[in-house]
Amino acid sequence: MTDTLTTPEPSLQPETPLKKVFIKTYGCQMNVYDSSRMADALAADGYRTTEVMEEANLVLLNTCHIREKAADKVYSALGRLRDMKKARQAKGEEFMIGVTGCVAQAEGEEIIRREPGVDVVIGPQTYHRLPDALKKARTGRRVVDTDYAVEDKFEHLPDPTKIPGKRRSVTAFLTVQEGCDKFCTFCVVPYTRGSEVSRPLSQIVDEVKRLADSGVREITLLGQNVNGWHGESRNGAPMGLGDLLYELAEIPGLARLRYTTSHPRDMDDRLIEAHRDLRVLMPYLHLPVQSGSDRILKAMNRRHKAADYLALIERIRAARPDIALSGDFIVGFPGETEEDFADTMALVEKVGYAQAFSFKYSTRPGTPGAELDNQVDEEVKSERLARLQELLLRQQHDFARSLVGQTMDILLEKPGRMEGQVIGKSPWLQSVNVDAKSLQIGDIIKVRITDTGPNSLFAEVAPG
Ligand code: SAH
Ligand code: SF4
Ligand code: F3S
């Protein structure tokens, strides 16, 4: 860290005239949540968000380090911003550049060295100190702050429902857990996000209540290892994510709950019971397995076998028969043979995914996987990925088609592209286009699915 920063108390009264911040978010939903909280922190400093980079006085790149390509994007974006900064400064306008998120955490000072235009580099645990860092940077001192702050950043951020001019949505993300202690051998997250920390129950309940009071109907609880969340009840009893869901299900106004991302090893009985008992908990679960080969799972340090995963899925489906599954897969992990890959394909066939994300293994410096010498050829990886994606896409379409003719509840989220059309969300996280003029955003209505599109469903309002 270059400079020591103090933590400002959240205040919503701007001391300076309005400035504009443009935030570009890369990576996972936790970064989406962090971007919105950074905007909250900056609102207290007189910033309003803008969707137009050219009119911003501050551009923040909230970055992702998960694969090489993700990290590379940051440096090419910074190159373009450097020119924009010169042009704006020549006009006498303030234009600052900040790098936040996981590349900031992983590369810190290196970013400042490589990119002279960058004013501040702030890690995921210290972004509540952004206003102070900017103040320092305005005096010509570039700031790198990638500490794991001793104080809890959430305690130092303003109430997200009280931000002037903040766009309201009927869905929201809420980080309940951060960091990861699992150390899968391919993954940078334990290094960029640190060890597992759970936010306390009272903080989460308060934030959910505030969001529900301000009109949010659906909340997705987030964590790199969200089902590793643990806390204490008001009378000191230990709680897990299942218990937390039972508690949040009672909050008036909240209609839907989801959570992501889970690790198979942390799917305990209580959480499965929550899927059985809670109607507000949507029947959709993102449960990455990464590979179907026990040999590769072991090399990845996933610490479960393919059969354990399949047995788990069976238990979850027994508890909630309409649950749909989603997953993540990596192809071409070092040492992966055609036989290992066939095991992955077989597992996918057995599970039947409603949605899935699949990636070619990307070597990440500093992770144990990078040390392995039996790396798989790029061409082989590409060819396997294509085969896997074809299967996954077919399953996704089969699932969507199985819903045609069915009646379901959708949460109306936003106006559609066509006049009179509204876009809602199905319980299984699909976008649903419905034609109707007198519908209210935020309502949950019954529709009948009439057709499927490439990435969405079409529906009509169900009678009665
Ligand atoms: N905590 C989550 C995943 C976080 S990263 C979990 O354990 O499931 C999101 C996904 O990125 C991972 O599930 C994995 O499929 C993928 N990923 C992570 N590191 C990768 C790497 N080095 N190369 C390719 N894909 C990777
Ligand atoms: Fe990465 Fe594994 Fe942790 Fe997920 S569980 S964040 S893949 S180390
Ligand atoms: Fe990327 Fe960091 Fe999320 S590396 S996937 S932004 S936790």
Side-chain angles (χ1 to χ4, degrees), residues 66-69 184-188 290 296 299-300 329-336 358-382 384-385 388:
I66 202 83
R67 284 169 288 276
E68 200 179 346
K69 260 196 203 141
C184 301
T185 55
F186 51 81
C187 185
V188 293
Q290 315 296 353
I296 297 297
M300 286 175 162
F329 296 88
I330 295 178
V331 299
F333 185 80
E336 186 188 78
S358 46
F359 314 95
K360 284 193 273 185
Y361 171 69
S362 168
T363 311
R364 307 308 287 131
T367 62
E371 308 297 314
L372 300 171
D373 50 16
N374 43 1
Q375 303 282 332
V376 175
D377 270 5
E378 270 316 295
E379 266 170 46
V380 175
K381 285 188 208 171
S382 300
R384 285 181 191 161
L385 185 67
L388 175 62

mmCIF file of all heavy atoms in Angstrom, residues 66-69 184-188 290 296 299-300 329-336 358-382 384-385 388:
data_model
loop_
_atom_site.group_PDB
_atom_site.id
_atom_site.type_symbol
_atom_site.label_atom_id
_atom_site.label_comp_id
_atom_site.label_asym_id
_atom_site.label_seq_id
_atom_site.Cartn_x
_atom_site.Cartn_y
_atom_site.Cartn_z
ATOM 1 N N ILE A 66 -10.179 -13.896 -13.310
ATOM 2 C CA ILE A 66 -10.408 -15.344 -13.274
ATOM 3 C C ILE A 66 -9.706 -16.092 -14.411
ATOM 4 O O ILE A 66 -9.166 -17.164 -14.195
ATOM 5 C CB ILE A 66 -11.927 -15.669 -13.221
ATOM 6 C CG1 ILE A 66 -12.158 -17.067 -12.646
ATOM 7 C CG2 ILE A 66 -12.638 -15.528 -14.553
ATOM 8 C CD1 ILE A 66 -12.147 -17.136 -11.184
ATOM 9 N N ARG A 67 -9.752 -15.522 -15.616
ATOM 10 C CA ARG A 67 -9.045 -16.133 -16.755
ATOM 11 C C ARG A 67 -8.147 -15.073 -17.376
ATOM 12 O O ARG A 67 -8.375 -13.876 -17.206
ATOM 13 C CB ARG A 67 -10.058 -16.659 -17.785
ATOM 14 C CG ARG A 67 -10.725 -17.951 -17.337
ATOM 15 C CD ARG A 67 -11.903 -18.328 -18.196
ATOM 16 N NE ARG A 67 -13.032 -17.451 -17.951
ATOM 17 C CZ ARG A 67 -13.906 -17.615 -16.975
ATOM 18 N NH1 ARG A 67 -13.809 -18.640 -16.151
ATOM 19 N NH2 ARG A 67 -14.889 -16.759 -16.789
ATOM 20 N N GLU A 68 -7.139 -15.528 -18.131
ATOM 21 C CA GLU A 68 -6.153 -14.610 -18.677
ATOM 22 C C GLU A 68 -6.828 -13.523 -19.512
ATOM 23 O O GLU A 68 -6.497 -12.351 -19.399
ATOM 24 C CB GLU A 68 -5.168 -15.404 -19.527
ATOM 25 C CG GLU A 68 -3.874 -14.678 -19.748
ATOM 26 C CD GLU A 68 -2.916 -15.513 -20.583
ATOM 27 O OE1 GLU A 68 -3.160 -16.720 -20.757
ATOM 28 O OE2 GLU A 68 -1.937 -14.927 -21.068
ATOM 29 N N LYS A 69 -7.803 -13.937 -20.319
ATOM 30 C CA LYS A 69 -8.467 -12.982 -21.211
ATOM 31 C C LYS A 69 -9.138 -11.859 -20.436
ATOM 32 O O LYS A 69 -9.098 -10.703 -20.838
ATOM 33 C CB LYS A 69 -9.553 -13.715 -22.023
ATOM 34 C CG LYS A 69 -9.116 -14.052 -23.414
ATOM 35 C CD LYS A 69 -10.346 -14.413 -24.260
ATOM 36 C CE LYS A 69 -9.936 -15.271 -25.429
ATOM 37 N NZ LYS A 69 -10.887 -16.338 -25.734
ATOM 38 N N CYS A 184 -9.266 -24.534 -5.014
ATOM 39 C CA CYS A 184 -9.257 -25.364 -6.213
ATOM 40 C C CYS A 184 -7.975 -24.972 -6.951
ATOM 41 O O CYS A 184 -7.614 -23.789 -6.998
ATOM 42 C CB CYS A 184 -10.476 -25.077 -7.077
ATOM 43 S SG CYS A 184 -12.007 -25.369 -6.183
ATOM 44 N N THR A 185 -7.306 -25.952 -7.543
ATOM 45 C CA THR A 185 -5.939 -25.682 -8.017
ATOM 46 C C THR A 185 -5.878 -24.800 -9.261
ATOM 47 O O THR A 185 -4.808 -24.360 -9.657
ATOM 48 C CB THR A 185 -5.191 -27.002 -8.288
ATOM 49 O OG1 THR A 185 -5.990 -27.777 -9.198
ATOM 50 C CG2 THR A 185 -4.968 -27.778 -7.016
ATOM 51 N N PHE A 186 -7.039 -24.538 -9.887
ATOM 52 C CA PHE A 186 -7.045 -23.687 -11.088
ATOM 53 C C PHE A 186 -7.369 -22.234 -10.768
ATOM 54 O O PHE A 186 -7.276 -21.376 -11.633
ATOM 55 C CB PHE A 186 -8.088 -24.213 -12.108
ATOM 56 C CG PHE A 186 -9.458 -24.446 -11.509
ATOM 57 C CD1 PHE A 186 -10.336 -23.385 -11.327
ATOM 58 C CD2 PHE A 186 -9.852 -25.708 -11.104
ATOM 59 C CE1 PHE A 186 -11.579 -23.581 -10.756
ATOM 60 C CE2 PHE A 186 -11.103 -25.922 -10.537
ATOM 61 C CZ PHE A 186 -11.968 -24.845 -10.360
ATOM 62 N N CYS A 187 -7.772 -21.941 -9.545
ATOM 63 C CA CYS A 187 -8.545 -20.715 -9.293
ATOM 64 C C CYS A 187 -7.801 -19.620 -8.525
ATOM 65 O O CYS A 187 -7.107 -19.899 -7.540
ATOM 66 C CB CYS A 187 -9.802 -21.108 -8.531
ATOM 67 S SG CYS A 187 -10.922 -19.736 -8.262
ATOM 68 N N VAL A 188 -7.987 -18.382 -8.954
ATOM 69 C CA VAL A 188 -7.322 -17.239 -8.314
ATOM 70 C C VAL A 188 -8.120 -16.646 -7.150
ATOM 71 O O VAL A 188 -7.582 -15.845 -6.381
ATOM 72 C CB VAL A 188 -7.071 -16.077 -9.321
ATOM 73 C CG1 VAL A 188 -6.048 -16.466 -10.375
ATOM 74 C CG2 VAL A 188 -8.371 -15.596 -9.959
ATOM 75 N N GLN A 290 -17.421 -28.651 -12.405
ATOM 76 C CA GLN A 290 -16.146 -28.439 -13.142
ATOM 77 C C GLN A 290 -15.733 -29.598 -14.039
ATOM 78 O O GLN A 290 -15.285 -29.375 -15.163
ATOM 79 C CB GLN A 290 -14.969 -28.073 -12.212
ATOM 80 C CG GLN A 290 -15.263 -27.033 -11.143
ATOM 81 C CD GLN A 290 -15.620 -25.656 -11.671
ATOM 82 O OE1 GLN A 290 -15.540 -25.403 -12.852
ATOM 83 N NE2 GLN A 290 -16.060 -24.775 -10.786
ATOM 84 N N ILE A 296 -9.525 -35.985 -12.493
ATOM 85 C CA ILE A 296 -9.376 -34.529 -12.667
ATOM 86 C C ILE A 296 -9.934 -33.779 -11.457
ATOM 87 O O ILE A 296 -9.326 -32.812 -10.979
ATOM 88 C CB ILE A 296 -10.049 -34.082 -13.989
ATOM 89 C CG1 ILE A 296 -9.351 -34.723 -15.189
ATOM 90 C CG2 ILE A 296 -10.078 -32.557 -14.118
ATOM 91 C CD1 ILE A 296 -7.887 -34.318 -15.383
ATOM 92 N N ALA A 299 -7.253 -33.776 -8.997
ATOM 93 C CA ALA A 299 -6.174 -32.846 -9.360
ATOM 94 C C ALA A 299 -6.617 -31.391 -9.177
ATOM 95 O O ALA A 299 -5.803 -30.512 -8.904
ATOM 96 C CB ALA A 299 -5.741 -33.097 -10.797
ATOM 97 N N MET A 300 -7.913 -31.172 -9.319
ATOM 98 C CA MET A 300 -8.442 -29.815 -9.128
ATOM 99 C C MET A 300 -8.638 -29.468 -7.646
ATOM 100 O O MET A 300 -9.015 -28.350 -7.309
ATOM 101 C CB MET A 300 -9.816 -29.679 -9.805
ATOM 102 C CG MET A 300 -9.789 -29.605 -11.317
ATOM 103 S SD MET A 300 -11.513 -29.595 -11.914
ATOM 104 C CE MET A 300 -11.268 -28.963 -13.585
ATOM 105 N N PHE A 329 -18.166 -25.566 -15.942
ATOM 106 C CA PHE A 329 -17.259 -26.640 -16.369
ATOM 107 C C PHE A 329 -15.961 -26.054 -16.886
ATOM 108 O O PHE A 329 -15.966 -25.012 -17.539
ATOM 109 C CB PHE A 329 -17.889 -27.467 -17.488
ATOM 110 C CG PHE A 329 -19.129 -28.183 -17.034
ATOM 111 C CD1 PHE A 329 -20.362 -27.559 -17.111
ATOM 112 C CD2 PHE A 329 -19.035 -29.451 -16.490
ATOM 113 C CE1 PHE A 329 -21.498 -28.197 -16.651
ATOM 114 C CE2 PHE A 329 -20.173 -30.102 -16.023
ATOM 115 C CZ PHE A 329 -21.409 -29.471 -16.109
ATOM 116 N N ILE A 330 -14.888 -26.745 -16.600
ATOM 117 C CA ILE A 330 -13.588 -26.393 -17.185
ATOM 118 C C ILE A 330 -13.128 -27.571 -18.039
ATOM 119 O O ILE A 330 -13.108 -28.706 -17.546
ATOM 120 C CB ILE A 330 -12.546 -26.118 -16.090
ATOM 121 C CG1 ILE A 330 -12.951 -24.868 -15.292
ATOM 122 C CG2 ILE A 330 -11.156 -25.947 -16.692
ATOM 123 C CD1 ILE A 330 -12.017 -24.536 -14.147
ATOM 124 N N VAL A 331 -12.790 -27.303 -19.291
ATOM 125 C CA VAL A 331 -12.214 -28.376 -20.115
ATOM 126 C C VAL A 331 -10.724 -28.109 -20.304
ATOM 127 O O VAL A 331 -10.284 -26.962 -20.306
ATOM 128 C CB VAL A 331 -12.885 -28.511 -21.510
ATOM 129 C CG1 VAL A 331 -14.348 -28.840 -21.376
ATOM 130 C CG2 VAL A 331 -12.672 -27.274 -22.358
ATOM 131 N N GLY A 332 -9.972 -29.205 -20.424
ATOM 132 C CA GLY A 332 -8.540 -29.075 -20.693
ATOM 133 C C GLY A 332 -7.725 -28.714 -19.473
ATOM 134 O O GLY A 332 -6.649 -28.102 -19.591
ATOM 135 N N PHE A 333 -8.199 -29.106 -18.288
ATOM 136 C CA PHE A 333 -7.344 -28.963 -17.101
ATOM 137 C C PHE A 333 -6.103 -29.837 -17.344
ATOM 138 O O PHE A 333 -6.198 -30.879 -17.997
ATOM 139 C CB PHE A 333 -8.105 -29.417 -15.845
ATOM 140 C CG PHE A 333 -7.336 -29.193 -14.583
ATOM 141 C CD1 PHE A 333 -7.290 -27.935 -14.003
ATOM 142 C CD2 PHE A 333 -6.607 -30.226 -13.994
ATOM 143 C CE1 PHE A 333 -6.546 -27.711 -12.854
ATOM 144 C CE2 PHE A 333 -5.857 -30.011 -12.845
ATOM 145 C CZ PHE A 333 -5.835 -28.750 -12.273
ATOM 146 N N PRO A 334 -4.918 -29.433 -16.835
ATOM 147 C CA PRO A 334 -3.706 -30.215 -17.114
ATOM 148 C C PRO A 334 -3.920 -31.711 -16.849
ATOM 149 O O PRO A 334 -4.451 -32.094 -15.811
ATOM 150 C CB PRO A 334 -2.678 -29.623 -16.149
ATOM 151 C CG PRO A 334 -3.125 -28.206 -15.969
ATOM 152 C CD PRO A 334 -4.622 -28.221 -16.054
ATOM 153 N N GLY A 335 -3.518 -32.520 -17.813
ATOM 154 C CA GLY A 335 -3.621 -33.971 -17.663
ATOM 155 C C GLY A 335 -4.946 -34.551 -18.131
ATOM 156 O O GLY A 335 -5.116 -35.775 -18.129
ATOM 157 N N GLU A 336 -5.896 -33.706 -18.556
ATOM 158 C CA GLU A 336 -7.209 -34.219 -18.963
ATOM 159 C C GLU A 336 -7.072 -35.040 -20.255
ATOM 160 O O GLU A 336 -6.630 -34.520 -21.284
ATOM 161 C CB GLU A 336 -8.206 -33.075 -19.187
ATOM 162 C CG GLU A 336 -9.629 -33.573 -19.468
ATOM 163 C CD GLU A 336 -10.587 -32.442 -19.875
ATOM 164 O OE1 GLU A 336 -10.513 -32.014 -21.053
ATOM 165 O OE2 GLU A 336 -11.372 -31.991 -19.028
ATOM 166 N N SER A 358 -19.244 -22.813 -19.518
ATOM 167 C CA SER A 358 -18.104 -23.715 -19.693
ATOM 168 C C SER A 358 -16.939 -22.936 -20.275
ATOM 169 O O SER A 358 -17.125 -22.019 -21.082
ATOM 170 C CB SER A 358 -18.499 -24.871 -20.602
ATOM 171 O OG SER A 358 -19.180 -24.397 -21.733
ATOM 172 N N PHE A 359 -15.759 -23.291 -19.829
ATOM 173 C CA PHE A 359 -14.556 -22.528 -20.159
ATOM 174 C C PHE A 359 -13.406 -23.452 -20.487
ATOM 175 O O PHE A 359 -13.317 -24.553 -19.958
ATOM 176 C CB PHE A 359 -14.126 -21.688 -18.944
ATOM 177 C CG PHE A 359 -15.249 -20.960 -18.276
ATOM 178 C CD1 PHE A 359 -15.901 -21.503 -17.165
ATOM 179 C CD2 PHE A 359 -15.682 -19.736 -18.761
ATOM 180 C CE1 PHE A 359 -16.937 -20.822 -16.546
ATOM 181 C CE2 PHE A 359 -16.729 -19.061 -18.147
ATOM 182 C CZ PHE A 359 -17.357 -19.602 -17.047
ATOM 183 N N LYS A 360 -12.493 -22.921 -21.321
ATOM 184 C CA LYS A 360 -11.226 -23.619 -21.508
ATOM 185 C C LYS A 360 -10.361 -23.280 -20.308
ATOM 186 O O LYS A 360 -10.353 -22.124 -19.857
ATOM 187 C CB LYS A 360 -10.521 -23.090 -22.776
ATOM 188 C CG LYS A 360 -11.123 -23.601 -24.037
ATOM 189 C CD LYS A 360 -10.196 -23.306 -25.211
ATOM 190 C CE LYS A 360 -10.461 -21.932 -25.783
ATOM 191 N NZ LYS A 360 -9.691 -21.644 -26.985
ATOM 192 N N TYR A 361 -9.628 -24.264 -19.815
ATOM 193 C CA TYR A 361 -8.736 -24.001 -18.697
ATOM 194 C C TYR A 361 -7.757 -22.889 -19.078
ATOM 195 O O TYR A 361 -7.152 -22.920 -20.147
ATOM 196 C CB TYR A 361 -7.965 -25.274 -18.317
ATOM 197 C CG TYR A 361 -6.869 -25.002 -17.316
ATOM 198 C CD1 TYR A 361 -7.182 -24.641 -16.012
ATOM 199 C CD2 TYR A 361 -5.526 -25.079 -17.672
ATOM 200 C CE1 TYR A 361 -6.193 -24.359 -15.087
ATOM 201 C CE2 TYR A 361 -4.519 -24.805 -16.760
ATOM 202 C CZ TYR A 361 -4.859 -24.439 -15.473
ATOM 203 O OH TYR A 361 -3.871 -24.149 -14.554
ATOM 204 N N SER A 362 -7.617 -21.918 -18.192
ATOM 205 C CA SER A 362 -6.691 -20.813 -18.404
ATOM 206 C C SER A 362 -5.655 -20.856 -17.275
ATOM 207 O O SER A 362 -6.020 -20.864 -16.094
ATOM 208 C CB SER A 362 -7.493 -19.503 -18.384
ATOM 209 O OG SER A 362 -6.656 -18.397 -18.303
ATOM 210 N N THR A 363 -4.404 -20.911 -17.648
ATOM 211 C CA THR A 363 -3.340 -21.027 -16.636
ATOM 212 C C THR A 363 -3.216 -19.716 -15.874
ATOM 213 O O THR A 363 -3.012 -18.662 -16.487
ATOM 214 C CB THR A 363 -1.991 -21.309 -17.341
ATOM 215 O OG1 THR A 363 -2.220 -22.373 -18.248
ATOM 216 C CG2 THR A 363 -0.916 -21.681 -16.353
ATOM 217 N N ARG A 364 -3.355 -19.773 -14.573
ATOM 218 C CA ARG A 364 -3.257 -18.550 -13.766
ATOM 219 C C ARG A 364 -1.999 -18.587 -12.916
ATOM 220 O O ARG A 364 -1.872 -19.455 -12.025
ATOM 221 C CB ARG A 364 -4.495 -18.387 -12.864
ATOM 222 C CG ARG A 364 -5.824 -18.454 -13.582
ATOM 223 C CD ARG A 364 -5.924 -17.507 -14.782
ATOM 224 N NE ARG A 364 -6.046 -16.117 -14.421
ATOM 225 C CZ ARG A 364 -5.291 -15.143 -14.960
ATOM 226 N NH1 ARG A 364 -4.359 -15.419 -15.844
ATOM 227 N NH2 ARG A 364 -5.488 -13.894 -14.612
ATOM 228 N N PRO A 365 -1.066 -17.666 -13.184
ATOM 229 C CA PRO A 365 0.186 -17.646 -12.417
ATOM 230 C C PRO A 365 -0.112 -17.587 -10.918
ATOM 231 O O PRO A 365 -1.024 -16.876 -10.494
ATOM 232 C CB PRO A 365 0.861 -16.348 -12.882
ATOM 233 C CG PRO A 365 0.215 -16.011 -14.201
ATOM 234 C CD PRO A 365 -1.164 -16.586 -14.167
ATOM 235 N N GLY A 366 0.647 -18.358 -10.155
ATOM 236 C CA GLY A 366 0.463 -18.336 -8.703
ATOM 237 C C GLY A 366 -0.464 -19.422 -8.195
ATOM 238 O O GLY A 366 -0.515 -19.688 -6.999
ATOM 239 N N THR A 367 -1.218 -20.064 -9.099
ATOM 240 C CA THR A 367 -2.088 -21.165 -8.652
ATOM 241 C C THR A 367 -1.333 -22.486 -8.859
ATOM 242 O O THR A 367 -0.487 -22.579 -9.754
ATOM 243 C CB THR A 367 -3.400 -21.208 -9.463
ATOM 244 O OG1 THR A 367 -3.087 -21.441 -10.845
ATOM 245 C CG2 THR A 367 -4.188 -19.922 -9.334
ATOM 246 N N PRO A 368 -1.647 -23.519 -8.074
ATOM 247 C CA PRO A 368 -0.935 -24.803 -8.233
ATOM 248 C C PRO A 368 -1.073 -25.389 -9.643
ATOM 249 O O PRO A 368 -0.138 -26.018 -10.151
ATOM 250 C CB PRO A 368 -1.614 -25.713 -7.202
ATOM 251 C CG PRO A 368 -2.236 -24.794 -6.217
ATOM 252 C CD PRO A 368 -2.584 -23.537 -6.946
ATOM 253 N N GLY A 369 -2.208 -25.150 -10.312
ATOM 254 C CA GLY A 369 -2.422 -25.689 -11.657
ATOM 255 C C GLY A 369 -1.377 -25.204 -12.645
ATOM 256 O O GLY A 369 -1.023 -25.904 -13.602
ATOM 257 N N ALA A 370 -0.879 -23.995 -12.424
ATOM 258 C CA ALA A 370 0.103 -23.403 -13.345
ATOM 259 C C ALA A 370 1.433 -24.146 -13.291
ATOM 260 O O ALA A 370 2.233 -24.081 -14.215
ATOM 261 C CB ALA A 370 0.296 -21.932 -13.006
ATOM 262 N N GLU A 371 1.663 -24.857 -12.181
ATOM 263 C CA GLU A 371 2.934 -25.584 -12.002
ATOM 264 C C GLU A 371 2.925 -26.936 -12.710
ATOM 265 O O GLU A 371 3.967 -27.562 -12.853
ATOM 266 C CB GLU A 371 3.207 -25.829 -10.515
ATOM 267 C CG GLU A 371 3.141 -24.592 -9.632
ATOM 268 C CD GLU A 371 4.206 -23.583 -10.006
ATOM 269 O OE1 GLU A 371 5.359 -24.007 -10.192
ATOM 270 O OE2 GLU A 371 3.871 -22.385 -10.148
ATOM 271 N N LEU A 372 1.749 -27.413 -13.088
ATOM 272 C CA LEU A 372 1.656 -28.760 -13.660
ATOM 273 C C LEU A 372 2.233 -28.764 -15.073
ATOM 274 O O LEU A 372 2.042 -27.815 -15.832
ATOM 275 C CB LEU A 372 0.191 -29.230 -13.673
ATOM 276 C CG LEU A 372 -0.477 -29.292 -12.294
ATOM 277 C CD1 LEU A 372 -1.969 -29.561 -12.414
ATOM 278 C CD2 LEU A 372 0.188 -30.367 -11.432
ATOM 279 N N ASP A 373 2.960 -29.862 -15.415
ATOM 280 C CA ASP A 373 3.641 -29.828 -16.711
ATOM 281 C C ASP A 373 2.862 -30.508 -17.837
ATOM 282 O O ASP A 373 3.261 -30.443 -18.984
ATOM 283 C CB ASP A 373 5.073 -30.389 -16.606
ATOM 284 C CG ASP A 373 5.087 -31.732 -15.906
ATOM 285 O OD1 ASP A 373 3.988 -32.328 -15.800
ATOM 286 O OD2 ASP A 373 6.164 -32.167 -15.453
ATOM 287 N N ASN A 374 1.748 -31.159 -17.512
ATOM 288 C CA ASN A 374 1.002 -31.840 -18.576
ATOM 289 C C ASN A 374 -0.152 -30.988 -19.100
ATOM 290 O O ASN A 374 -1.304 -31.418 -19.124
ATOM 291 C CB ASN A 374 0.498 -33.210 -18.091
ATOM 292 C CG ASN A 374 -0.067 -33.124 -16.676
ATOM 293 O OD1 ASN A 374 -0.099 -32.043 -16.094
ATOM 294 N ND2 ASN A 374 -0.516 -34.230 -16.145
ATOM 295 N N GLN A 375 0.161 -29.750 -19.483
ATOM 296 C CA GLN A 375 -0.862 -28.834 -19.990
ATOM 297 C C GLN A 375 -1.441 -29.381 -21.301
ATOM 298 O O GLN A 375 -0.739 -30.015 -22.082
ATOM 299 C CB GLN A 375 -0.273 -27.436 -20.226
ATOM 300 C CG GLN A 375 0.383 -26.804 -18.995
ATOM 301 C CD GLN A 375 -0.605 -26.226 -17.991
ATOM 302 O OE1 GLN A 375 -1.696 -25.816 -18.337
ATOM 303 N NE2 GLN A 375 -0.209 -26.212 -16.721
ATOM 304 N N VAL A 376 -2.716 -29.104 -21.528
ATOM 305 C CA VAL A 376 -3.403 -29.620 -22.721
ATOM 306 C C VAL A 376 -3.285 -28.590 -23.851
ATOM 307 O O VAL A 376 -3.373 -27.382 -23.604
ATOM 308 C CB VAL A 376 -4.895 -29.895 -22.377
ATOM 309 C CG1 VAL A 376 -5.689 -30.311 -23.607
ATOM 310 C CG2 VAL A 376 -4.997 -30.957 -21.285
ATOM 311 N N ASP A 377 -3.105 -29.071 -25.079
ATOM 312 C CA ASP A 377 -3.021 -28.185 -26.255
ATOM 313 C C ASP A 377 -4.250 -27.303 -26.403
ATOM 314 O O ASP A 377 -5.365 -27.773 -26.210
ATOM 315 C CB ASP A 377 -2.994 -29.050 -27.537
ATOM 316 C CG ASP A 377 -1.588 -29.387 -27.922
ATOM 317 O OD1 ASP A 377 -0.676 -29.038 -27.147
ATOM 318 O OD2 ASP A 377 -1.432 -30.007 -28.995
ATOM 319 N N GLU A 378 -4.035 -26.062 -26.834
ATOM 320 C CA GLU A 378 -5.164 -25.136 -27.061
ATOM 321 C C GLU A 378 -6.200 -25.722 -28.015
ATOM 322 O O GLU A 378 -7.396 -25.612 -27.807
ATOM 323 C CB GLU A 378 -4.670 -23.806 -27.629
ATOM 324 C CG GLU A 378 -4.300 -22.747 -26.623
ATOM 325 C CD GLU A 378 -5.270 -22.563 -25.466
ATOM 326 O OE1 GLU A 378 -6.425 -22.156 -25.715
ATOM 327 O OE2 GLU A 378 -4.879 -22.817 -24.307
ATOM 328 N N GLU A 379 -5.700 -26.352 -29.092
ATOM 329 C CA GLU A 379 -6.623 -26.906 -30.095
ATOM 330 C C GLU A 379 -7.511 -27.985 -29.515
ATOM 331 O O GLU A 379 -8.698 -28.054 -29.818
ATOM 332 C CB GLU A 379 -5.825 -27.515 -31.252
ATOM 333 C CG GLU A 379 -5.616 -26.546 -32.383
ATOM 334 C CD GLU A 379 -4.632 -27.097 -33.394
ATOM 335 O OE1 GLU A 379 -4.767 -28.275 -33.772
ATOM 336 O OE2 GLU A 379 -3.723 -26.331 -33.758
ATOM 337 N N VAL A 380 -6.902 -28.833 -28.698
ATOM 338 C CA VAL A 380 -7.673 -29.913 -28.062
ATOM 339 C C VAL A 380 -8.730 -29.298 -27.140
ATOM 340 O O VAL A 380 -9.892 -29.709 -27.132
ATOM 341 C CB VAL A 380 -6.732 -30.872 -27.282
ATOM 342 C CG1 VAL A 380 -7.520 -31.919 -26.515
ATOM 343 C CG2 VAL A 380 -5.728 -31.508 -28.229
ATOM 344 N N LYS A 381 -8.318 -28.284 -26.406
ATOM 345 C CA LYS A 381 -9.265 -27.613 -25.498
ATOM 346 C C LYS A 381 -10.441 -27.057 -26.288
ATOM 347 O O LYS A 381 -11.598 -27.213 -25.896
ATOM 348 C CB LYS A 381 -8.583 -26.440 -24.776
ATOM 349 C CG LYS A 381 -7.637 -26.811 -23.677
ATOM 350 C CD LYS A 381 -7.218 -25.514 -22.969
ATOM 351 C CE LYS A 381 -5.861 -25.611 -22.346
ATOM 352 N NZ LYS A 381 -5.344 -24.339 -21.856
ATOM 353 N N SER A 382 -10.127 -26.368 -27.400
ATOM 354 C CA SER A 382 -11.191 -25.731 -28.191
ATOM 355 C C SER A 382 -12.161 -26.769 -28.721
ATOM 356 O O SER A 382 -13.374 -26.566 -28.694
ATOM 357 C CB SER A 382 -10.609 -24.970 -29.380
ATOM 358 O OG SER A 382 -9.751 -23.976 -28.920
ATOM 359 N N ARG A 384 -12.806 -29.788 -27.512
ATOM 360 C CA ARG A 384 -13.620 -30.358 -26.427
ATOM 361 C C ARG A 384 -14.686 -29.358 -25.974
ATOM 362 O O ARG A 384 -15.826 -29.730 -25.713
ATOM 363 C CB ARG A 384 -12.728 -30.750 -25.238
ATOM 364 C CG ARG A 384 -11.957 -32.015 -25.514
ATOM 365 C CD ARG A 384 -11.090 -32.439 -24.331
ATOM 366 N NE ARG A 384 -10.189 -33.515 -24.773
ATOM 367 C CZ ARG A 384 -9.085 -33.871 -24.141
ATOM 368 N NH1 ARG A 384 -8.719 -33.259 -23.025
ATOM 369 N NH2 ARG A 384 -8.335 -34.848 -24.617
ATOM 370 N N LEU A 385 -14.286 -28.103 -25.884
ATOM 371 C CA LEU A 385 -15.244 -27.084 -25.445
ATOM 372 C C LEU A 385 -16.433 -27.024 -26.405
ATOM 373 O O LEU A 385 -17.585 -26.942 -25.975
ATOM 374 C CB LEU A 385 -14.574 -25.711 -25.340
ATOM 375 C CG LEU A 385 -15.452 -24.599 -24.769
ATOM 376 C CD1 LEU A 385 -15.782 -24.854 -23.302
ATOM 377 C CD2 LEU A 385 -14.795 -23.219 -24.903
ATOM 378 N N LEU A 388 -18.710 -29.950 -25.750
ATOM 379 C CA LEU A 388 -19.444 -29.790 -24.485
ATOM 380 C C LEU A 388 -20.529 -28.732 -24.628
ATOM 381 O O LEU A 388 -21.677 -28.919 -24.188
ATOM 382 C CB LEU A 388 -18.461 -29.413 -23.364
ATOM 383 C CG LEU A 388 -19.073 -29.098 -22.001
ATOM 384 C CD1 LEU A 388 -19.811 -30.306 -21.437
ATOM 385 C CD2 LEU A 388 -17.999 -28.650 -21.003
#
